């Protein structure tokens, strides 16, 4: 359950912190996801990966 919460928080951070481009959104999402994972005791690598993916998607959508 803790892993699911960490992933959901990472995605939320990634989507709320994204900028207007795919690369910028991915970078900000990865940092946010890693930070949330570290704060909740989860895997920082997985948090960064999920946050980066979420940030890239939102950055792409916002950029259009």
């Amino acid at each position: 359950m803790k892993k699911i919460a960490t992933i959901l928080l990472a995605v939320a951070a990634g989507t709320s912190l994204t900028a207007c481009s795919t690369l910028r959104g991915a970078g900000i999402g990865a940092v946010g996801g890693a930070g949330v994972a570290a704060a909740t005791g989860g895997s920082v690598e997985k948090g960064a990966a999920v946050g980066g993916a979420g940030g890239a998607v939102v950055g792409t959508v916002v950029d259009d």
Side-chain angles (χ1 to χ4, degrees):
M1 185 66 173
K2 191 173 188 177
K3 288 183 182 182
I4 293 171
T6 301
I7 290 171
L8 291 175
L9 287 171
V11 170
T15 57
S16 67
L17 296 173
T18 57
C20 292
S21 70
T22 303
L23 292 176
R24 190 180 279 178
I28 293 170
V31 170
V36 169
T40 59
S43 171
V44 175
E45 293 87 6
K46 289 180 184 177
V50 171
V57 169
V58 173
T60 300
V61 171
V62 172
D63 203 23
D64 286 336

